[in-house]
Amino acid sequence: MVFREFISLEKVAEHPKSGMPLSREYRLIFFKHQLLQVLDYWEEVTYDYEQPNLDIFIQLASQFNSNFFSIDIGKTVDDRWLIIEVGDGQVSGLPGNAVDVEKFYKSLKEDMYEPSI
């Protein structure tokens, strides 16, 4: 059994089918400990606001023992950004309309063949 602390996230919309509250969230994709892309998490939300400062998440990502992973972040009702989930890159989905899939995989391929620092 796993217990998590309940933290209220800033609601920005409701899911059109389920009525579930949708919060301000982003998916950060990292490859070789470098931020590859920042993706809007929800397809149903218009992301017309400023992105958070990502410095702390980039710093934390440099400590992970993985070359390809995602970090999902969300904004709380008291204006803090936190990590919601960390996922292995090979099973982390790309949000439907938030990314140009062809461009994403081309950039990943290019990074795969660049020498590591």
Side-chain angles (χ1 to χ4, degrees):
M1 190 177 304
V2 175
F3 292 94
R4 290 192 202 184
E5 176 185 2
F6 178 81
I7 299 174
S8 294
L9 298 177
E10 179 184 292
K11 179 182 169 184
V12 293
E14 283 188 6
H15 192 277
K17 292 181 181 175
S18 69
M20 178 181 91
L22 303 179
S23 54
R24 190 181 301 199
E25 297 177 58
Y26 293 95
R27 174 160 285 170
L28 314 178
I29 306 286
F30 290 86
F31 184 67
K32 295 182 181 177
H33 295 100
Q34 300 296 312
L35 181 60
L36 184 64
Q37 205 156 13
V38 179
L39 307 173
D40 301 343
Y41 190 84
W42 296 109
E43 295 176 38
E44 299 81 5
V45 174
T46 301
Y47 283 74
D48 58 356
Y49 32 76
E50 208 173 297
Q51 287 185 354
N53 182 330
L54 301 175
D55 292 345
I56 187 67
F57 302 111
I58 293 169
Q59 180 184 8
L60 288 169
S62 71
Q63 300 172 36
F64 291 0
N65 190 18
S66 176
N67 278 331
F68 185 39
F69 57 92
S70 66
I71 299 177
D72 296 341
I73 62 172
K75 187 176 183 185
T76 66
V77 293
D78 60 349
D79 207 30
R80 294 179 299 127
W81 285 92
L82 54 82
I83 294 175
I84 295 174
E85 183 175 57
V86 176
D88 185 80
Q90 64 186 338
V91 296
S92 297
L94 298 176
N97 67 354
V99 64
D100 178 336
V101 175
E102 185 175 343
K103 180 180 175 184
F104 173 81
Y105 282 110
K106 280 183 179 180
S107 68
L108 182 60
K109 180 182 174 185
E110 290 169 7
D111 285 349
M112 287 178 75
Y113 295 105
E114 288 181 5
S116 295
I117 296 176

